[in-house]
Amino acid sequence: MSMFSFSSDAQAQPFKGEKIDPDVTTGHLHHLSQDQQAAFSVFKDILAKARLYAHDGPRPTHDDPTLLRFLRARRFDPQKALKQFADSEAWRQKHAVDALYATFPPDEFESARRFYPRWTGRRDKNGLPVYVYRLASLAGPLQKELNAVPPERRYQRIVSLYETMTRFVLRLCTHLPHRTAPTPISSVTTIIDLEQVSLPALWSLRAHLQEASALATANYPETLGTIAVVNSPAFFPTVWGWIKPWFDEGTRRKVHVLGKDPGPTLRTLIDPEDLPKPYGGELDWKFEDEPALDEAAKGVLGEMPKGPAVFEDGEVRRPQAPSETADAVAQSSS
């Protein structure tokens, strides 16, 4: 998901630029200012005192990119970041997220991908994974299928797909060669395609979209990089007025709304061979397709794994339920 930028009063105004050049290093590992580094140290200390973080085992309970996402989301205020992090950890416990992801049926997991942003298997010029969300693909029978899923299970599907993004896709892209290495990749670039989407169709999807965005803002902060809305209809400013409150100010600044010819602008961010043909690139890929891995990713993965997976130490692994993780740690330390 002409170009527009959005002002605080939710009105879209023409934007004359032709280039998307996001800042993907400020506030990230290896690019912290002295004040940011000091805040990061304080954040780790207060998390440890609150027993929300430990680094004395075989590996820390949470990696630095994850901690920095929460800190950036709260503008490097350690106490505010602590509150969001603690709330998120309580949420993970309440919903048994680790166990959910480890035991999610692979067939259902693969089926659930059809309803949410999908990774193309490619990356932008900064190494961020490129996701596409074509809302028209959710029309008709697919929307009826989505609506038939019980709300609790639909929520669990969204959680599992976010876990894949943070524990597999972002870690894989960090491992692959990228322009800002060794700075980790901790967010995604998303193309939202509104072609052939009517106002009633968008309205019918509002609860579905709001549920996913609220979950991400609270529990997977700072994972959204550039958001390019393509093939935007004339009524989009009205829609933006609905959805703007779902996002924090930082995310709203990342939204670029493009017209019917997004290619010239998108190619400033994504190389043609990594940009799908419908959006002005050369990649033979559409929303319904599996990820079309680039050569670097193929060299590491061979092929895209099916079902829940994590990427650790340069390898694809199946997620472990909490009891399995504890057993593995005990064995490694014995």
Side-chain angles (χ1 to χ4, degrees):
M1 197 324 263
S2 64
M3 179 186 289
F4 295 87
S5 61
F6 291 102
S7 60
S8 59
D9 60 358
Q11 297 297 313
Q13 301 295 329
F15 178 68
K16 302 302 183 181
E18 296 181 351
K19 184 177 183 180
I20 300 177
D21 186 19
D23 181 355
V24 295
T25 57
T26 300
H28 290 252
L29 209 60
H30 307 299
H31 297 275
L32 299 177
S33 68
Q34 287 186 347
D35 288 345
Q36 289 171 340
Q37 186 62 59
F40 191 28
S41 297
V42 170
F43 185 44
K44 284 184 172 182
D45 288 343
I46 60 178
L47 285 176
K49 290 176 182 177
R51 298 185 178 180
L52 294 171
Y53 167 74
H55 55 81
D56 52 358
R59 67 174 73 239
T61 55
H62 302 80
D63 60 24
D64 284 354
T66 298
L67 299 182
L68 277 170
R69 284 196 291 102
F70 281 87
L71 200 51
R72 286 198 304 276
R74 291 295 171 257
R75 299 185 179 182
F76 282 85
D77 184 320
Q79 291 296 334
K80 291 181 178 179
L82 170 65
K83 174 64 166 60
Q84 182 173 359
F85 189 88
D87 289 346
S88 180
E89 287 296 290
W91 168 83
R92 294 183 71 88
Q93 291 291 326
K94 176 182 177 180
H95 295 278
V97 171
D98 290 334
L100 170 70
Y101 189 54
T103 59
F104 207 94
D107 289 347
E108 182 183 357
F109 181 87
E110 293 300 321
S111 177
R113 292 182 188 271
R114 298 173 298 154
F115 304 106
Y116 301 97
R118 305 192 72 165
W119 184 35
T120 60
R122 299 303 175 98
R123 298 168 290 147
D124 69 14
K125 294 180 181 181
N126 294 309
L128 278 63
V130 176
Y131 277 68
V132 170
Y133 199 19
R134 185 176 185 272
L135 291 183
S137 295
L138 273 64
L142 205 59
Q143 184 172 353
K144 292 181 180 178
E145 183 180 341
L146 175 64
N147 293 339
V149 178
E152 182 178 355
R153 191 56 174 175
R154 186 173 61 204
Y155 189 82
Q156 291 173 338
R157 289 180 172 186
I158 299 172
V159 171
S160 294
L161 292 172
Y162 274 123
E163 289 293 297
T164 288
M165 179 184 69
T166 55
R167 298 170 65 179
F168 179 79
V169 176
L170 292 177
R171 291 181 184 178
L172 169 65
C173 292
T174 293
H175 178 80
L176 298 174
H178 56 283
R179 183 180 66 81
T180 60
T183 299
I185 301 297
S186 57
S187 61
V188 306
T189 290
T190 306
I191 298 171
I192 300 178
D193 185 356
L194 297 182
E195 185 177 27
Q196 298 178 347
V197 176
S198 66
L199 186 59
L202 270 178
W203 180 255
S204 68
L205 288 169
R206 71 191 186 284
H208 169 68
L209 299 174
Q210 186 173 11
E211 183 178 45
S213 63
L215 191 155
T217 299
N219 302 296
Y220 302 92
E222 293 294 307
T223 52
L224 288 176
T226 298
I227 303 169
V229 182
V230 305
N231 297 316
S232 53
F235 60 76
F236 185 77
T238 299
V239 175
W240 180 247
W242 301 342
I243 67 176
K244 180 182 175 181
W246 303 352
F247 304 102
D248 58 40
E249 181 182 352
T251 299
R252 292 196 295 267
R253 288 198 297 265
K254 300 172 185 177
V255 177
H256 302 264
V257 183
L258 310 181
K260 301 297 182 181
D261 182 24
T265 299
L266 288 177
R267 289 193 296 270
T268 67
L269 178 65
I270 307 168
D271 286 324
E273 62 267 26
D274 297 317
L275 179 65
K277 287 181 179 179
Y279 312 118
E282 301 169 358
L283 180 64
D284 188 12
W285 185 92
K286 59 184 184 300
F287 180 73
E288 293 75 15
D289 291 345
E290 295 297 312
L293 300 176
D294 60 31
E295 292 304 315
K298 285 181 182 177
V300 174
L301 300 179
E303 61 182 13
M304 189 73 177
K306 300 292 186 182
V310 297
F311 192 83
E312 289 182 343
D313 302 324
E315 297 180 350
V316 178
R317 299 175 181 173
R318 292 300 170 188
Q320 295 180 322
S323 60
E324 295 173 326
T325 302
D327 291 342
V329 170
Q331 291 175 7
S332 66
S333 61
S334 61

